[in-house]
Amino acid sequence: MIKYLELKRVNAPYEEEMRQAMDRVLQRGWYLKGEATRQFEHHYADYIGTRYCVGCGNGLDALTLIFRAYKEMGVMKDGDEVIVPANTYIASILAITENHLNPVLVEPDIHTLQIDDNLIEQAITSRTRAVMIVHLYGRCAYTDRIGEICRRHGLRLIEDNAQAHGCKFGNQRTGSLGDAAGHSFYPGKNLGALGDAGAITTNDAELAEIVSALGNYGSHQKYVFDYQGRNSRMDELQAAMLDVKLKYLDEANAKRKEIASLYINKVHHPQIVIPQSDRDSVWHIFPILCERRDDLQDYLKVNGVETQIHYPIPPHQQRCHAEWNEISLPVTERIHRQEISLPCHPALTTEEVDTIIHLLNKS
C-alpha cells in the first residue's frame, strides 16, 4: 500500500539531529518559554521575513490570538466582519467566530482554488475590518489586487499560512505579505512538529507583544495579568524539533515540487482536473478534481494507493453553522464534492509516483 502520508518516513532523515536536540532540552531541564522556543522564533521570523514570531499551542490558537489582539488594540469589536474564503478548513472560521466577529464567505476561483479576488470588494460593508486569505493546499492566495483592496479600504490583511510554509509571492514568503499571519506546525504540515504547535508572524511590535501575553494567560510578568488571556504556549521540545526541521524545509519543499510536476505533466485523463502549474507552490496537498471522486478513491484504494479528501463538507454546510446551511455557494460545493488529494510528500519515491500516475491514466 502506498500510504497518503507516512510521518515516520518523512522524519527519518532528521531523526538523529532531533534526538540530539531533545537531549539538549532534557539536559537544560526547562520545558516552556525557554531557550529552544526563543531560538526557533528567531530563526522562523528570519525565514519568513518578519520582525517578530511568537510561538503558541497550535494553528487555530495562532489565528484566534491575532483577532483577539486586534480587539484589545481597538481595531476590531464584537460584530465586525472578516472576509474569508468559503472553501477553507473550519479552523479559519472558528478563529473569527470565537472572537465574536462575523465571517463573510467569499467563493474561490475554480482554476486556482483560492479566494476569488474579483468577488472581495463587493463583499465589503461598513462593518468589514479585515480580509483573511488562506494559502490552501500550499498555494499562494495573495494577489496584488487583494493588497490594493485592503489598502484602499483600510482593512487588515491576515494570512492563514497553516498549509504553506516556504511558499512565495515574488521574493516574499507567505506569512510576511499581510499585517499578521497564523502558522500551524501540526505533524503532517510541510514543517511539522511531533505534536501540536503554532506561531504568529508580524512586523507589528504592538500586536506581537499582545499576542505573546494573551497566550500566556494574559501576562508579560509572572502573576501580573494585563489581559484575560489563555494558555497557548509552544513547548521547548516542539520548538527544538521544529528548529532542526526548518533547516531542511526548502529541500523538502523542492521534493514536493518535483512530485507535483510529475503529476501535472504526466496525468492525462479526461475526467481528472489537474492543478495549474505553479513554481512557487509548496504543495502541502496535491488536489485533483473528479466528478466521480468516490469511485476514483475506491479504485485507487483497491490498487494499493491511499488518498484523502480535503474536505468532504464545506463550512457553510456543517451542523455547527446551521445558520448558513441554506446558502448556495456552487463553486465551493463543487470543490468539496470533487476534490481528492494524491500522496505528495518528500519521502515518496519516484517509483511510487509513477505507479500512481499509471493507475490514474488507466482508471
Side-chain angles (χ1 to χ4, degrees), residues 44 48 56 58-59 62 161-162 165 174-175 181-185 197-201:
Y44 194 63
I48 293 294
C56 63
N58 54 68
N161 201 50
H165 313 129
T174 56
H183 307 253
S184 168
F185 304 119
I200 298 101
T201 55

Side-chain angles (χ1 to χ4, degrees), residues 25-57:
V25 172
L26 294 174
Q27 289 165 14
R28 282 194 293 266
W30 193 274
Y31 307 117
L32 286 169
K33 296 183 74 67
E35 181 180 334
T37 302
R38 288 191 295 271
Q39 181 169 287
F40 173 71
E41 288 172 339
H42 172 75
H43 289 160
Y44 194 63
D46 186 62
Y47 177 82
I48 293 294
T50 55
R51 292 173 61 193
Y52 306 102
C53 170
V54 179
C56 63

Side-chain angles (χ1 to χ4, degrees), residues 310-324:
H310 297 91
Y311 303 94
I313 306 173
H316 73 283
Q317 293 181 339
Q318 296 284 352
R319 180 182 176 187
C320 64
H321 284 297
E323 72 276 15
W324 293 340

Side-chain angles (χ1 to χ4, degrees), residues 253-262 279-283:
N253 283 342
K255 177 64 175 176
R256 290 176 181 268
K257 292 179 182 183
E258 290 176 14
I259 294 167
S261 180
L262 290 172
R279 67 182 181 87
D280 292 323
S281 174
V282 293
W283 300 108

